[in-house]
Amino acid sequence: MQKKEVWRIFNWLVILLRVGFRFFFVGILIFKPAIMFVFTDSYQGAVSIFPFLCFVPILYTISETTTLGIVFSRKTYLNIYVSIGAIITNITLALYFVPYYGAKGAALSMGIAYFIYYVLRSVLSNREWEGIYLTKQLCTVAILFLAAFYNTFYDYYSILVNIGFLIGIVLFYLPQFSQLWNIYRRKVY
């Protein structure tokens, strides 16, 4: 295989991972009421902060695909700046939100801090290596953040709203789905 072909396959796998985790997150939100039946009654209070509790590991995993510029440039010290930025954001916002919103405020400050972590990591990585397309990613991560926010602070028509978030993500990635379908058709037929 040529280097260009390996890069193309790797790029598609990364896109599939990103899209898959975005669908997984919104799927969790859509089926949140059913998922909470698995837990005992003592965990039912966590239902309200469950979206941000899920948002953090999903966002961290997605950010692993955008940090390649930092890795390839061997400037891993940039991760220290990213972590410091996220820590300062989390502490500052927690001091403000927790007195007003309690556990929801803590979840919100953690969600915003991880959003900042993702953005800093992605932007610094893109500065070192321009193989990462940020606009679409940032838009869909913003959709995920809005979904987590809505599901944490509001519960009205949440399944319908979450389906709307899912449709928004599908619309962002429609060109990639079309390209994947064309690749599949060429390989199969």
Side-chain angles (χ1 to χ4, degrees):
M1 257 188 197
Q2 294 179 0
K3 193 174 189 178
K4 188 176 182 180
E5 181 69 15
V6 170
W7 170 246
R8 192 176 68 77
I9 291 170
F10 174 75
N11 193 35
W12 276 108
L13 289 174
V14 167
I15 288 170
L16 287 173
L17 176 77
R18 290 175 188 154
V19 172
F21 270 100
R22 284 164 170 83
F23 284 158
F24 180 66
F25 178 71
V26 176
I28 287 173
L29 296 179
I30 290 170
F31 294 105
K32 179 177 69 168
I35 292 170
M36 294 317 292
F37 282 121
V38 174
F39 298 106
T40 63
D41 290 338
S42 60
Y43 288 100
Q44 292 304 314
V47 170
S48 64
I49 62 171
F50 185 72
F52 274 118
L53 294 178
C54 293
F55 181 68
V56 170
I58 298 276
L59 201 56
Y60 177 79
T61 305
I62 294 171
S63 79
E64 284 297 308
T65 66
T66 63
T67 190
L68 297 174
I70 294 173
V71 173
F72 291 158
S73 69
R74 296 192 174 147
K75 294 183 179 179
T76 54
Y77 64 88
L78 293 173
N79 286 321
I80 294 171
Y81 300 130
V82 171
S83 296
I84 290 170
I87 288 169
I88 290 171
T89 302
N90 193 18
I91 290 171
T92 303
L93 293 176
L95 289 172
Y96 179 75
F97 287 140
V98 170
Y100 293 108
Y101 303 110
K104 287 182 179 182
L108 177 61
S109 67
M110 186 175 62
I112 293 172
Y114 259 88
F115 183 75
I116 296 297
Y117 178 84
Y118 174 83
V119 169
L120 287 175
R121 208 170 186 198
S122 300
V123 168
L124 289 174
S125 179
N126 197 46
R127 191 182 75 183
E128 297 302 321
W129 183 62
E130 295 182 9
I132 300 164
Y133 308 108
L134 290 179
T135 306
K136 187 177 292 190
Q137 288 187 58
L138 292 174
C139 289
T140 56
V141 168
I143 290 172
L144 295 182
F145 180 83
L146 291 173
F149 183 86
Y150 183 85
N151 283 273
T152 298
F153 289 94
Y154 307 101
D155 204 24
Y156 313 111
Y157 306 107
S158 63
I159 293 175
L160 291 174
V161 171
N162 290 328
I163 290 171
F165 286 128
L166 185 63
I167 290 169
I169 291 170
V170 167
L171 291 176
F172 267 102
Y173 284 102
L174 208 53
Q176 281 80 14
F177 291 137
S178 176
Q179 288 175 354
L180 279 175
W181 177 250
N182 289 335
I183 291 170
Y184 173 76
R185 277 196 343 217
R186 274 186 260 139
K187 298 283 184 187
V188 173
Y189 299 114

